[in-house]
Amino acid sequence: LVADDYGPSHRVAETLTTEGYSITHSTSTDDAVMRAMDGDYHLVLADDRVGGDDVLRFCSQLRSNEATRHTPVLIMLDDGDTERLAKALDLGVNDYLVRPVNKDELTARVKTQIRRKQVEDNLRRQYEKSLTAAVTDSLTGLYNRRYLETHFEEVTRDLAGAEKPVSVMVIDVDHFKKVNDDHGHAAGDEVLRGLAKRILGGVRGFDTAIRLGGEEFVVLMPNVEARAAFPTANRLRALVEEEPFDISGDGSPLPVTISIGVATGIAGKAPLSELLDRADQSLYAAKKAGRNRVISADIEDPIEPAKLPEALRA
Protein backbone atom coordinates (compact mmCIF):
# COMPACT_ATOMS: atom_id res chain seq x y z
CA LEU A 1 0.00 0.00 0.00
CA VAL A 2 1.49 3.33 -1.12
CA ALA A 3 -0.51 6.06 0.59
CA ASP A 4 -0.30 8.86 3.14
CA ASP A 5 -0.57 7.95 6.80
CA TYR A 6 -4.16 9.03 7.29
CA GLY A 7 -7.63 7.63 7.99
CA PRO A 8 -8.69 6.39 4.52
CA SER A 9 -5.46 4.45 3.97
CA HIS A 10 -5.77 2.89 7.43
CA ARG A 11 -9.27 1.70 6.54
CA VAL A 12 -7.99 0.20 3.28
CA ALA A 13 -5.26 -1.66 5.20
CA GLU A 14 -7.72 -2.88 7.82
CA THR A 15 -10.12 -4.17 5.16
CA LEU A 16 -7.42 -6.13 3.37
CA THR A 17 -5.93 -7.44 6.61
CA THR A 18 -9.36 -8.74 7.59
CA GLU A 19 -9.44 -10.58 4.25
CA GLY A 20 -6.18 -12.34 5.20
CA TYR A 21 -3.67 -10.25 3.28
CA SER A 22 -0.35 -9.10 4.71
CA ILE A 23 0.10 -5.37 4.11
CA THR A 24 3.28 -3.30 3.86
CA HIS A 25 2.55 0.43 4.05
CA SER A 26 4.84 3.01 2.41
CA THR A 27 4.18 6.73 2.69
CA SER A 28 6.49 7.76 -0.18
CA THR A 29 7.07 6.43 -3.68
CA ASP A 30 10.85 6.33 -3.16
CA ASP A 31 10.43 3.98 -0.22
CA ALA A 32 7.82 1.98 -2.13
CA VAL A 33 10.11 1.45 -5.12
CA MET A 34 12.87 0.04 -2.90
CA ARG A 35 10.44 -2.23 -1.07
CA ALA A 36 8.80 -3.46 -4.27
CA MET A 37 12.14 -4.35 -5.84
CA ASP A 38 13.34 -6.22 -2.74
CA GLY A 39 10.11 -8.08 -1.98
CA ASP A 40 7.95 -10.55 -3.87
CA TYR A 41 4.64 -8.67 -3.64
CA HIS A 42 1.43 -9.94 -5.18
CA LEU A 43 0.00 -6.44 -5.65
CA VAL A 44 0.85 -2.74 -5.37
CA LEU A 45 -2.06 -0.47 -4.36
CA ALA A 46 -1.13 3.19 -4.86
CA ASP A 47 -2.99 6.37 -3.89
CA ASP A 48 -2.28 8.98 -6.57
CA ARG A 49 -2.12 11.72 -3.92
CA VAL A 50 0.59 10.16 -1.73
CA GLY A 51 2.86 12.84 -0.30
CA GLY A 52 2.56 15.00 -3.39
CA ASP A 53 4.83 12.53 -5.19
CA ASP A 54 4.52 11.71 -8.87
CA VAL A 55 2.63 8.42 -8.58
CA LEU A 56 2.46 7.99 -12.34
CA ARG A 57 6.25 8.14 -12.51
CA PHE A 58 6.31 5.54 -9.73
CA CYS A 59 4.01 3.26 -11.76
CA SER A 60 6.27 3.69 -14.78
CA GLN A 61 9.29 2.69 -12.67
CA LEU A 62 7.56 -0.50 -11.59
CA ARG A 63 6.82 -1.43 -15.19
CA SER A 64 10.35 -0.72 -16.42
CA ASN A 65 12.14 -2.78 -13.76
CA GLU A 66 12.61 -6.53 -14.28
CA ALA A 67 11.85 -7.36 -10.63
CA THR A 68 8.45 -5.60 -10.65
CA ARG A 69 7.46 -5.76 -14.32
CA HIS A 70 4.80 -8.41 -13.73
CA THR A 71 3.49 -7.10 -10.39
CA PRO A 72 -0.12 -5.89 -10.77
CA VAL A 73 -0.77 -2.25 -9.86
CA LEU A 74 -4.06 -0.78 -8.63
CA ILE A 75 -4.30 2.99 -8.46
CA MET A 76 -6.78 5.00 -6.36
CA LEU A 77 -8.08 8.18 -8.05
CA ASP A 78 -10.72 10.86 -7.66
CA ASP A 79 -14.01 10.01 -9.32
CA GLY A 80 -14.19 11.63 -12.76
CA ASP A 81 -10.44 12.18 -13.18
CA THR A 82 -10.49 10.50 -16.58
CA GLU A 83 -7.39 12.23 -17.93
CA ARG A 84 -5.20 10.96 -15.10
CA LEU A 85 -6.80 7.52 -15.33
CA ALA A 86 -6.01 7.35 -19.07
CA LYS A 87 -2.36 8.21 -18.38
CA ALA A 88 -2.19 5.58 -15.63
CA LEU A 89 -3.62 2.86 -17.85
CA ASP A 90 -1.27 3.88 -20.65
CA LEU A 91 1.68 3.40 -18.27
CA GLY A 92 0.60 -0.16 -17.53
CA VAL A 93 -1.56 0.20 -14.41
CA ASN A 94 -3.80 -2.88 -14.29
CA ASP A 95 -6.93 -1.47 -12.65
CA TYR A 96 -8.23 1.45 -10.60
CA LEU A 97 -10.46 2.39 -7.67
CA VAL A 98 -12.26 5.70 -7.14
CA ARG A 99 -12.31 7.55 -3.84
CA PRO A 100 -13.96 7.12 -1.44
CA VAL A 101 -13.05 3.45 -1.78
CA ASN A 102 -15.90 0.97 -1.40
CA LYS A 103 -14.86 -2.04 0.72
CA ASP A 104 -16.57 -4.65 -1.45
CA GLU A 105 -15.14 -3.21 -4.65
CA LEU A 106 -11.69 -3.02 -3.04
CA THR A 107 -11.64 -6.70 -2.04
CA ALA A 108 -13.12 -7.83 -5.37
CA ARG A 109 -10.55 -5.97 -7.48
CA VAL A 110 -7.65 -7.01 -5.26
CA LYS A 111 -8.68 -10.69 -5.46
CA THR A 112 -9.06 -10.48 -9.23
CA GLN A 113 -5.58 -9.00 -9.75
CA ILE A 114 -3.86 -11.41 -7.37
CA ARG A 115 -5.61 -14.39 -8.94
CA ARG A 116 -4.56 -13.19 -12.39
CA LYS A 117 -0.95 -12.78 -11.24
CA GLN A 118 -0.89 -16.32 -9.85
CA VAL A 119 -2.17 -17.71 -13.14
CA GLU A 120 0.33 -15.67 -15.18
CA ASP A 121 3.22 -16.64 -12.86
CA ASN A 122 2.32 -20.30 -13.28
CA LEU A 123 2.15 -19.96 -17.07
CA ARG A 124 5.50 -18.15 -17.07
CA ARG A 125 7.11 -20.91 -14.97
CA GLN A 126 5.77 -23.58 -17.29
CA TYR A 127 7.05 -21.67 -20.32
CA GLU A 128 10.52 -21.23 -18.79
CA LYS A 129 10.54 -24.90 -17.81
CA SER A 130 9.71 -25.87 -21.40
CA LEU A 131 12.48 -23.64 -22.76
CA THR A 132 14.98 -25.16 -20.33
CA ALA A 133 13.90 -28.69 -21.22
CA ALA A 134 14.39 -27.94 -24.90
CA VAL A 135 18.12 -27.22 -24.47
CA THR A 136 18.96 -29.35 -21.40
CA ASP A 137 19.78 -33.03 -21.01
CA SER A 138 17.36 -34.46 -18.46
CA LEU A 139 19.79 -37.05 -17.05
CA THR A 140 22.87 -34.93 -16.39
CA GLY A 141 21.51 -31.38 -16.34
CA LEU A 142 24.08 -30.33 -18.95
CA TYR A 143 23.14 -28.55 -22.14
CA ASN A 144 22.24 -30.67 -25.16
CA ARG A 145 23.34 -30.59 -28.80
CA ARG A 146 20.61 -28.15 -29.78
CA TYR A 147 22.03 -25.61 -27.35
CA LEU A 148 25.59 -26.31 -28.52
CA GLU A 149 24.73 -25.37 -32.10
CA THR A 150 23.12 -22.06 -31.08
CA HIS A 151 25.77 -21.19 -28.50
CA PHE A 152 28.63 -21.97 -30.88
CA GLU A 153 27.28 -19.39 -33.31
CA GLU A 154 27.22 -16.75 -30.56
CA VAL A 155 30.73 -17.59 -29.37
CA THR A 156 32.28 -17.52 -32.83
CA ARG A 157 30.47 -14.28 -33.68
CA ASP A 158 32.05 -12.62 -30.61
CA LEU A 159 35.55 -13.93 -31.38
CA ALA A 160 35.60 -13.86 -35.18
CA GLY A 161 36.68 -10.23 -35.54
CA ALA A 162 39.94 -10.84 -33.66
CA GLU A 163 40.44 -14.29 -35.23
CA LYS A 164 40.64 -15.92 -31.81
CA PRO A 165 40.88 -19.72 -31.49
CA VAL A 166 38.04 -22.01 -30.45
CA SER A 167 38.72 -25.51 -29.14
CA VAL A 168 36.41 -28.44 -28.54
CA MET A 169 36.93 -31.71 -26.76
CA VAL A 170 34.83 -34.77 -27.44
CA ILE A 171 34.78 -37.09 -24.43
CA ASP A 172 33.73 -40.74 -24.36
CA VAL A 173 33.49 -43.18 -21.43
CA ASP A 174 35.76 -46.19 -21.98
CA HIS A 175 34.01 -49.58 -21.99
CA PHE A 176 30.69 -48.02 -21.02
CA LYS A 177 28.73 -51.01 -22.36
CA LYS A 178 30.55 -53.19 -19.84
CA VAL A 179 29.47 -50.84 -17.03
CA ASN A 180 25.84 -51.28 -18.07
CA ASP A 181 26.18 -55.04 -18.61
CA ASP A 182 27.98 -55.74 -15.32
CA HIS A 183 26.29 -53.23 -13.02
CA GLY A 184 23.00 -52.33 -14.70
CA HIS A 185 21.72 -49.27 -16.54
CA ALA A 186 20.98 -47.45 -13.27
CA ALA A 187 24.69 -47.65 -12.42
CA GLY A 188 25.51 -46.44 -15.93
CA ASP A 189 23.27 -43.42 -15.38
CA GLU A 190 25.05 -42.67 -12.09
CA VAL A 191 28.39 -42.75 -13.89
CA LEU A 192 27.12 -40.30 -16.51
CA ARG A 193 25.76 -37.93 -13.85
CA GLY A 194 29.00 -38.16 -11.88
CA LEU A 195 31.07 -37.57 -14.99
CA ALA A 196 28.98 -34.50 -15.85
CA LYS A 197 29.81 -33.04 -12.41
CA ARG A 198 33.51 -33.72 -12.85
CA ILE A 199 33.54 -32.14 -16.29
CA LEU A 200 31.92 -29.01 -14.88
CA GLY A 201 34.46 -28.97 -12.06
CA GLY A 202 37.40 -29.49 -14.40
CA VAL A 203 36.82 -26.70 -16.93
CA ARG A 204 36.62 -22.91 -16.75
CA GLY A 205 33.41 -21.18 -15.76
CA PHE A 206 32.93 -19.76 -19.27
CA ASP A 207 33.55 -23.07 -21.04
CA THR A 208 30.38 -24.93 -21.99
CA ALA A 209 29.78 -28.61 -21.19
CA ILE A 210 27.29 -30.56 -23.30
CA ARG A 211 26.03 -34.13 -23.32
CA LEU A 212 26.10 -34.99 -26.98
CA GLY A 213 24.29 -38.30 -26.53
CA GLY A 214 24.83 -41.71 -24.91
CA GLU A 215 28.17 -41.69 -23.10
CA GLU A 216 29.61 -38.91 -25.26
CA PHE A 217 30.19 -35.36 -24.03
CA VAL A 218 31.56 -32.17 -25.58
CA VAL A 219 33.29 -29.17 -24.01
CA LEU A 220 33.40 -25.92 -25.99
CA MET A 221 36.39 -23.75 -25.00
CA PRO A 222 36.41 -20.21 -26.45
CA ASN A 223 39.73 -18.44 -26.92
CA VAL A 224 41.80 -21.56 -26.17
CA GLU A 225 44.58 -22.59 -28.55
CA ALA A 226 45.58 -26.18 -29.26
CA ARG A 227 48.55 -26.39 -26.89
CA ALA A 228 46.44 -25.04 -24.03
CA ALA A 229 43.46 -27.28 -24.84
CA PHE A 230 45.56 -30.44 -24.61
CA PRO A 231 46.67 -30.10 -20.94
CA THR A 232 43.14 -29.03 -19.97
CA ALA A 233 41.77 -32.22 -21.49
CA ASN A 234 44.52 -34.30 -19.89
CA ARG A 235 43.77 -32.86 -16.44
CA LEU A 236 40.13 -33.80 -16.92
CA ARG A 237 41.11 -37.32 -17.98
CA ALA A 238 43.27 -37.69 -14.85
CA LEU A 239 40.50 -36.30 -12.65
CA VAL A 240 38.21 -39.12 -13.79
CA GLU A 241 40.84 -41.86 -13.59
CA GLU A 242 42.12 -40.99 -10.12
CA GLU A 243 38.80 -41.21 -8.27
CA PRO A 244 36.46 -44.19 -8.82
CA PHE A 245 32.71 -43.56 -8.95
CA ASP A 246 30.43 -44.45 -6.04
CA ILE A 247 27.56 -46.58 -7.32
CA SER A 248 24.38 -47.03 -5.26
CA GLY A 249 23.84 -50.59 -4.06
CA ASP A 250 27.36 -51.67 -5.00
CA GLY A 251 29.90 -52.51 -2.35
CA SER A 252 32.96 -50.92 -3.93
CA PRO A 253 33.64 -47.78 -6.00
CA LEU A 254 33.71 -48.34 -9.76
CA PRO A 255 36.89 -47.34 -11.66
CA VAL A 256 36.09 -45.42 -14.86
CA THR A 257 38.33 -43.90 -17.50
CA ILE A 258 37.62 -41.61 -20.44
CA SER A 259 39.19 -40.94 -23.80
CA ILE A 260 39.23 -37.43 -25.27
CA GLY A 261 39.71 -36.04 -28.76
CA VAL A 262 40.58 -32.36 -29.13
CA ALA A 263 40.36 -30.02 -32.11
CA THR A 264 41.03 -26.30 -32.53
CA GLY A 265 40.05 -23.80 -35.19
CA ILE A 266 39.84 -20.06 -35.79
CA ALA A 267 36.51 -18.51 -34.83
CA GLY A 268 34.47 -17.70 -37.91
CA LYS A 269 36.55 -19.93 -40.17
CA ALA A 270 36.02 -23.37 -38.63
CA PRO A 271 32.37 -24.50 -38.55
CA LEU A 272 31.12 -26.57 -35.63
CA SER A 273 30.63 -29.66 -37.80
CA GLU A 274 34.27 -29.56 -38.88
CA LEU A 275 35.59 -29.16 -35.32
CA LEU A 276 33.40 -31.97 -34.02
CA ASP A 277 34.44 -34.24 -36.88
CA ARG A 278 38.14 -33.62 -36.31
CA ALA A 279 37.79 -34.03 -32.54
CA ASP A 280 35.79 -37.23 -33.09
CA GLN A 281 38.53 -38.63 -35.33
CA SER A 282 41.05 -37.85 -32.59
CA LEU A 283 38.81 -39.58 -30.07
CA TYR A 284 38.71 -42.64 -32.29
CA ALA A 285 42.53 -42.58 -32.48
CA ALA A 286 42.69 -42.36 -28.66
CA LYS A 287 40.42 -45.40 -28.38
CA LYS A 288 42.50 -47.31 -30.93
CA ALA A 289 45.72 -46.41 -29.12
CA GLY A 290 44.53 -48.04 -25.90
CA ARG A 291 41.93 -45.69 -24.36
CA ASN A 292 42.32 -43.50 -21.25
CA ARG A 293 44.26 -40.89 -23.20
CA VAL A 294 43.98 -37.56 -25.01
CA ILE A 295 44.82 -37.00 -28.66
CA SER A 296 44.74 -33.60 -30.34
CA ALA A 297 43.98 -33.15 -34.02
CA ASP A 298 46.29 -30.11 -34.10
CA ILE A 299 49.39 -31.36 -32.28
CA GLU A 300 51.28 -34.19 -33.98
CA ASP A 301 53.28 -35.05 -30.88
CA PRO A 302 51.39 -33.66 -27.84
CA ILE A 303 53.69 -32.41 -25.10
CA GLU A 304 52.95 -33.88 -21.70
CA PRO A 305 51.49 -31.29 -19.27
CA ALA A 306 54.48 -31.54 -16.93
CA LYS A 307 56.77 -30.34 -19.74
CA LEU A 308 54.62 -27.41 -20.76
CA PRO A 309 55.31 -23.83 -19.63
CA GLU A 310 53.60 -22.94 -16.36
CA ALA A 311 51.21 -20.54 -18.14
CA LEU A 312 49.73 -23.43 -20.13
CA ARG A 313 49.59 -25.86 -17.20
CA ALA A 314 47.71 -23.42 -14.94
Side-chain angles (χ1 to χ4, degrees):
L1 175 62
V2 188
D4 289 335
D5 189 14
Y6 71 139
S9 62
H10 293 166
R11 287 191 290 274
V12 167
E14 289 169 5
T15 299
L16 295 177
T17 301
T18 302
E19 291 293 324
Y21 298 112
S22 175
I23 311 298
T24 300
H25 188 180
S26 291
T27 56
S28 75
T29 56
D30 288 340
D31 177 66
V33 166
M34 298 303 296
R35 288 178 181 270
M37 291 181 183
D38 291 338
D40 184 20
Y41 291 97
H42 292 85
L43 177 72
V44 173
L45 177 59
D47 188 333
D48 81 325
R49 298 186 302 194
V50 58
D53 290 345
D54 187 351
V55 173
L56 295 185
R57 181 177 59 84
F58 164 69
C59 294
S60 178
Q61 285 179 284
L62 294 180
R63 282 293 167 264
S64 62
N65 188 275
E66 182 64 30
T68 57
R69 183 169 298 161
H70 303 293
T71 304
V73 179
L74 267 173
I75 191 168
M76 294 182 286
L77 300 156
D78 288 327
D79 191 11
D81 194 350
T82 55
E83 183 178 349
R84 194 157 175 79
L85 172 60
K87 289 181 180 179
L89 295 174
D90 189 53
L91 290 171
V93 169
N94 298 80
D95 205 349
Y96 68 98
L97 291 160
V98 297
R99 288 186 292 261
V101 175
N102 177 275
K103 290 184 178 181
D104 293 335
E105 186 177 7
L106 169 66
T107 55
R109 290 181 185 265
V110 166
K111 286 179 180 178
T112 297
Q113 291 304 320
I114 291 177
R115 190 181 302 116
R116 181 176 297 170
K117 181 180 189 300
Q118 291 170 332
V119 170
E120 290 177 352
D121 285 350
N122 185 55
L123 289 173
R124 199 173 295 111
R125 282 192 295 269
Q126 293 299 322
Y127 176 69
E128 290 171 355
K129 185 177 179 181
S130 298
L131 284 181
T132 301
V135 297
T136 305
D137 172 57
S138 58
L139 177 65
T140 63
L142 299 182
Y143 290 116
N144 60 21
R145 182 162 190 154
R146 179 182 299 176
Y147 178 83
L148 171 62
E149 292 170 352
T150 303
H151 185 58
F152 181 82
E153 292 178 4
E154 296 175 354
V155 167
T156 53
R157 186 167 55 247
D158 291 341
L159 298 177
E163 294 195 343
K164 296 289 186 178
V166 177
S167 293
V168 297
M169 34 171 131
V170 177
I171 304 161
D172 190 86
V173 181
D174 296 328
H175 302 295
F176 186 67
K177 184 177 184 300
K178 183 173 175 58
V179 173
N180 282 331
D181 291 345
D182 293 351
H183 302 275
H185 288 278
D189 288 348
E190 288 190 71
V191 168
L192 294 178
R193 283 192 290 265
L195 176 57
K197 291 180 181 178
R198 295 193 195 185
I199 291 173
L200 288 174
V203 299
R204 304 171 303 175
F206 43 87
D207 295 330
T208 306
I210 295 104
R211 184 187 178 198
L212 203 60
E215 68 272 25
E216 199 166 62
F217 297 79
V218 168
V219 176
L220 174 63
M221 299 178 289
N223 201 18
V224 174
E225 60 182 21
R227 287 193 176 274
F230 176 78
T232 300
N234 204 52
R235 281 199 305 270
L236 182 58
R237 179 205 58 77
L239 183 67
V240 174
E241 179 189 22
E242 291 166 2
E243 187 179 345
F245 289 72
D246 291 324
I247 304 300
S248 301
D250 202 310
S252 57
L254 179 65
V256 173
T257 62
I258 58 174
S259 298
I260 304 177
V262 183
T264 303
I266 299 299
K269 295 183 178 180
L272 176 62
S273 58
E274 177 189 315
L275 285 175
L276 288 177
D277 183 59
R278 291 172 56 229
D280 202 51
Q281 290 178 30
S282 297
L283 171 65
Y284 177 76
K287 293 279 191 181
K288 193 174 180 180
R291 296 180 170 83
N292 189 25
R293 65 191 63 218
V294 178
I295 290 184
S296 170
D298 302 281
I299 307 176
E300 290 185 11
D301 182 22
I303 303 171
E304 292 300 318
K307 299 178 181 178
L308 285 169
E310 182 65 27
L312 295 184
R313 287 190 281 121

